[in-house]
Amino acid sequence: MQEPTTEVEHLRYRDFSTNQKLTLWSTTAGFGLEHMDQLFISFAMSSIIASLHISNFAGGFISTVSMFGSLVGGLFFGMLADRIGRVRVFTWTLVIVAFATGAIYFAHNIWLVYTFRFIGGIGTGAEYGAGVTLIAENFAGKKIGKLTSLTQIGGQVGAVLSAVASAIIIPTFGWNALFLVGLIPVLLAFVLRRHVKESDEFIQTKEARRNGKESVVEKAPILEVFKTPALAYQTFALIMMMMIQIGGYYGLMNWLPKIMQKQLHLSISGSSLWMIVTIVGMSLGMYIFGFVLDNFGPRLAFGTFLLLAGVSIYLLLFAKTAWSLLFIMMVVGFFSNGMYGGYGVVVSRLYPTFARVTANSVVSSVGKLLGGFFPPIIGWLMDKYTLSHVMMFFTAMYLFSFLIMLTIPAFRRKDIEF
């Protein structure tokens, strides 16, 4: 059968192997779990703060603690995935996630919440890195911007389910019970991943190691990420961009329900429904971003979305009615999170096979850790200043990421296959 020659034909091409299909489905399920797990905290935030009698800063720090766990898990499991296999690590880390998610049901003080969120972060630490690496390697030779974006869009189903579950469960059973729902997608993802196989590219790299062709850097893949000054700066710049991406995403998703309750007097149920609108906007943004990335390169794709994210976030100040909020939240979601899937694409193309999950995990985990400080900072700003100051802070974040992006030499290339 003749190979498809255009980007659209690639996405419509039905002759994907079983392993390619399973890779896409299992990665989508993993991303859905990650979004669901994180947004449970967002929707439960007001209830947690009220029931545990803590400050906004302490509530925002829940996400920060989770990011510390993500750093530990990302670095450890990322290097382990580059050594023994992406699929094995990708599968068994779900056991950690399942334990930590279900255990939140028994957390009745903030210290137990912090503990279980840290453990959950360890489990999800390599989720993003391993997932995008599996896609990059199993679809070698194809433009994977839109493929990665599509798995991220599928992952947003977890965010929608989180919103629906929150609206139903929190008012009736309390916020602790919400986390028991997170066990369901964990089991589904675990079943799917048991049948996923390693890519030919990774198997060939592993065979080379057995034949004694492994260098010192290959034995310690973390060294590859910082091997030269230019490479070290590239890694640092990508981490800074991921920091802003995560800080903006969780800063918005953690505090948007509370902002809406304060500004428009919406209930938890109402704010959950409006959050779904934001998620729809994010999904549309991811789809368009993947298309722009594949066809016009990372510089134009990231640059456009970062600048418009910095502008659109300020529109939240003009939300005076439910309908204006509906439109503004879609626009904000479109630009602020549409670029998330692109980081895994460029990292997977910029680093070699033996260090690919490690590179993705370093960029993702360190960026998430640093970005995890933004929710408590935003909580502090909400306590001390006006909503206008909060929005200005968001705008400054995206402009900073835009300037950093301009300094990355590889982003000047139009072809993301490099």
Side-chain angles (χ1 to χ4, degrees), residues 251-312:
L252 277 173
M253 300 306 267
N254 278 7
W255 292 115
L256 201 51
K258 193 173 181 67
I259 290 172
M260 288 189 299
Q261 290 173 60
K262 180 179 179 181
Q263 185 169 332
L264 296 179
H265 308 291
L266 295 173
S267 65
I268 291 289
S269 176
S271 65
S272 298
L273 292 175
W274 291 116
M275 190 68 76
I276 294 175
V277 175
T278 306
I279 294 167
V280 171
M282 289 177 178
S283 298
L284 292 173
M286 289 176 183
Y287 183 82
I288 298 301
F289 180 86
F291 173 83
V292 176
L293 182 63
D294 281 340
N295 289 278
F296 300 100
R299 193 169 198 181
L300 180 62
F302 279 97
T304 302
F305 272 69
L306 285 168
L307 287 176
L308 291 177
V311 173
S312 66

Side-chain angles (χ1 to χ4, degrees), residues 50-69:
S51 66
L52 300 183
H53 308 290
I54 59 176
S55 67
N56 285 339
F57 179 85
F61 201 70
I62 296 172
S63 295
T64 307
V65 170
S66 179
M67 298 313 171
F68 272 106

Side-chain angles (χ1 to χ4, degrees), residues 75 221-243 343 346-347 350-352 355 358-367 370 404 407-411:
L75 295 179
I222 190 70
L223 298 178
E224 173 66 24
V225 180
F226 303 99
K227 186 171 63 174
T228 65
L231 201 55
Y233 177 77
Q234 174 182 279
T235 302
F236 169 78
L238 289 167
I239 288 172
M240 290 294 99
M241 291 181 66
M242 179 62 82
M243 174 189 73
Y343 294 95
V346 295
V347 171
L350 289 174
Y351 297 86
T358 300
N360 266 307
S361 295
V362 167
V363 171
S364 176
S365 297
V366 178
L370 297 175
I404 289 290
T407 67
I408 303 177
F411 274 44

Side-chain angles (χ1 to χ4, degrees), residues 29-30 33 36 91 94-95 97-99 101 180-195:
L33 167 64
M36 176 181 283
T91 301
L94 285 173
V95 176
V97 178
F99 165 77
T101 302
L180 293 177
V181 180
L183 295 174
I184 299 173
V186 170
L187 296 175
L188 173 63
F190 184 81
V191 171
L192 284 171
R193 289 180 187 177
R194 290 185 63 189
H195 302 285

